[in-house]
């Protein structure tokens, strides 16, 4: 099986004649931030100490500002400019990761078609989530090929209805929002034809800076003066959930500073807040913890994989169901902050999962 990885790389043109390639510089700065030592950072990224110093000096010359600050007994730290560069790189990676992972998966599948006896790739269209990412990596480690396309829940289910994928990943809130939320999902599913495989339960809530300096407690605080919000893209399940929460609280979206913004992943929202560009956003706990943010839980969601019932006992879907039900997959999901794998691997009809009549 082929493995394709695509990483974003960017450059800065401080002077038009000499653009600065940030790849090696950012790797070095990240290690300096973690270790407080140029020597240890250079070793970690496999650069000579002399080359690392030269790279830093060249960048400082182009920016006209220092990237490092040193103090007696305090080691080496990043200046505000260097920290902003590191956060910019994290934001780029967080925003582009679904598209790049989907493209890499597509390329793997195309290359696999050129190899004799390569098993057919499982086609998975799914709303972006940490459990899906963990499952995909686990399947690849088991040498079970999967072609992954990240898209919102409605688009994934529509693709399944058209026969364009084998599985569709979507999430549904637990509680009073379940039924109105399902209205946009179940029109693509046939109770007589489709069933669902439970993947995980996850926590959704508000991301805020460490210590919650603005004292944000609920969605009602999103409209408070001075609060900067960062939203998910139109059509995403998380944005639809936010709109329902706002309607319940009697808050007009136009009252929220930043409601019209659009980030494409939970991680991108978290990175936006962690970099100081916004104060609050909505997403899953895992993203908040990975970016060092405080998390205010609001509700829980169930994440499902929809599939044709008739194909569940045939390869490659049969193999995937076995993987999801295995203890190793449960352990991967349980290790994600805010995720619960208690019901992972449970196969249900639509009636059993949502009370939908056949």
């Amino acid at each position: 099986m082929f493995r394709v990885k695509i990483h974003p790389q960017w450059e800065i043109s401080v002077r038009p004649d000499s653009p600065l390639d940030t790849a090696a510089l950012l790797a070095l700065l990240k290690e300096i931030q973690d270790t407080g030592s140029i020597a240890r950072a250079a070793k970690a990224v496999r650069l000579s100490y002399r080359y690392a110093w030269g790279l830093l000096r060249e960048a400082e010359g182009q920016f006209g500002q220092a990237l490092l600050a040193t103090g007696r007994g305090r080691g080496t730290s990043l200046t505000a400019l260097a920290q902003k560069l590191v956060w910019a790189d994290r934001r780029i990676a967080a925003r582009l990761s679904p598209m790049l992972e989907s493209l890499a998966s597509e390329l793997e599948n195309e290359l696999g078609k050129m190899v004799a006896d390569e098993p057919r790739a499982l086609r998975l269209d799914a709303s972006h989530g940490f459990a899906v990412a963990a499952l995909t990596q686990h399947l690849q480690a088991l040498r079970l090929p999967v072609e992954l396309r990240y898209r919102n829940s409605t688009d994934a289910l529509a693709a399944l209805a058209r026969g364009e994928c084998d599985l569709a990943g979507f999430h549904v809130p637990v509680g009073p929002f379940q039924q109105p939320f399902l209205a946009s999902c179940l029109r693509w599913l046939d109770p007589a034809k489709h069933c669902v495989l439970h993947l995980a339960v996850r926590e959704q809530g508000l991301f805020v800076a460490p210590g919650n300096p603005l004292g944000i407690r609920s969605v009602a605080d999103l409209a408070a003066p001075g609060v900067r919000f960062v939203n998910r893209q139109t059509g995403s399940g998380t944005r639809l959930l936010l709109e329902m929460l706002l309607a319940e609280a009697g808050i007009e979206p136009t009252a929220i500073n930043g409601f019209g913004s659009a980030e494409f992943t939970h991680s991108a929202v978290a990175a936006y807040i962690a970099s100081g560009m916004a104060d609050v956003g909505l997403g899953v706990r895992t993203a908040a913890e990975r970016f060092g943010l405080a998390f205010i839980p609001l509700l829980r969601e169930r994440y499902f994989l929809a599939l044709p019932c008739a194909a569940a006992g045939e390869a490659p879907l049969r193999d995937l169901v076995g993987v999801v039900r295995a203890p190793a997959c449960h352990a991967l999901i349980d290790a994600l902050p805010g995720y619960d794998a208690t019901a992972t691997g449970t196969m249900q009809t639509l009636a059993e999962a949502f009370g939908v009549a056949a």
Side-chain angles (χ1 to χ4, degrees):
M1 290 174 59
F2 293 100
R3 288 287 174 267
V4 177
K5 292 187 179 297
I6 306 174
H7 301 285
Q9 183 172 334
W10 52 289
E11 63 180 35
I12 299 176
S13 296
V14 183
R15 295 195 300 264
D17 60 332
S18 56
L20 178 65
D21 185 345
T22 63
L25 174 65
L26 286 166
L28 183 62
L29 290 176
K30 290 172 186 175
E31 289 295 332
I32 293 173
Q33 186 177 53
D34 292 339
T35 65
S37 165
I38 299 174
R40 289 199 294 271
K43 183 177 181 180
V45 298
R46 299 184 179 182
L47 296 177
S48 71
Y49 183 74
R50 181 177 180 181
Y51 183 87
W53 261 115
L55 182 62
L56 290 166
R57 291 292 175 254
E58 178 189 358
E60 289 178 335
Q62 291 217 36
F63 284 114
Q65 295 186 42
L67 295 176
L68 304 180
T70 57
R72 185 182 298 272
R74 295 183 304 179
T76 302
S77 60
L78 304 187
T79 64
L81 171 61
Q83 292 176 28
K84 185 64 70 173
L85 290 173
V86 170
W87 276 114
D89 191 59
R90 294 190 71 179
R91 280 195 61 224
I92 289 170
R95 175 177 284 188
L96 296 181
S97 61
M99 179 178 64
L100 296 180
E101 289 172 24
S102 297
L103 180 57
S105 182
E106 181 182 328
L107 292 174
E108 289 171 355
N109 184 53
E110 290 302 315
L111 292 171
K113 292 177 182 178
M114 307 303 294
V115 179
D117 301 324
E118 181 77 2
R120 182 178 78 81
L122 188 71
R123 300 170 300 166
L124 170 59
D125 285 16
S127 170
H128 188 268
F130 293 96
V132 170
L135 173 61
T136 302
Q137 293 171 5
H138 186 49
L139 290 170
Q140 291 174 337
L142 296 174
R143 301 189 64 79
L144 296 174
V146 56
E147 183 178 351
L148 173 65
R149 291 191 301 177
Y150 281 126
R151 55 206 314 183
N152 66 52
S153 293
T154 302
D155 288 346
L157 291 169
L160 179 68
R162 294 192 296 264
E164 298 171 0
C165 63
D166 302 302
L167 291 147
F170 67 106
H171 51 96
V172 178
V174 175
F177 294 127
Q178 174 178 286
Q179 292 308 316
F181 201 92
L182 284 171
S184 64
C185 298
L186 293 184
R187 63 193 178 100
W188 299 106
L189 295 177
D190 182 348
K193 178 180 178 182
H194 296 109
C195 55
V196 292
L197 179 66
H198 184 103
L199 184 61
V201 172
R202 65 186 192 182
E203 284 185 286
Q204 281 264 29
L206 298 174
F207 303 164
V208 294
N212 193 7
L214 298 182
I216 293 170
R217 299 298 176 192
S218 68
V219 294
D221 297 318
L222 302 184
V227 173
R228 299 169 299 165
F229 181 74
V230 56
N231 209 349
R232 290 290 302 279
Q233 79 277 20
T234 300
S236 72
T238 298
R239 184 159 178 150
L240 176 59
L241 176 61
L242 172 67
E243 292 169 355
M244 291 182 179
L245 287 166
L246 292 176
E248 181 186 52
I251 298 172
E252 290 294 330
T254 53
I256 297 174
N257 178 18
F259 183 86
S261 58
E263 293 292 334
F264 288 84
T265 68
H266 299 280
S267 291
V269 169
Y272 205 91
I273 296 164
S275 63
M277 299 177 68
D279 303 306
V280 59
L282 179 65
V284 297
R285 182 185 290 272
T286 311
E289 293 206 6
R290 290 189 178 182
F291 282 85
L293 300 172
F295 181 78
I296 303 165
L298 296 179
L299 51 81
R300 288 157 65 85
E301 291 182 322
R302 294 185 292 169
Y303 195 108
F304 295 97
L305 300 176
L307 65 155
C309 302
E314 304 173 358
L317 282 175
R318 179 191 62 232
D319 299 327
L320 175 131
V321 172
V323 169
V324 173
R325 288 176 171 172
C329 186
H330 284 228
L332 284 173
I333 292 173
D334 270 332
L336 298 169
Y339 276 77
D340 180 359
T342 300
T344 297
T346 303
M347 189 80 76
Q348 296 177 297
T349 65
L350 300 186
E352 292 169 334
F354 311 117
V356 178

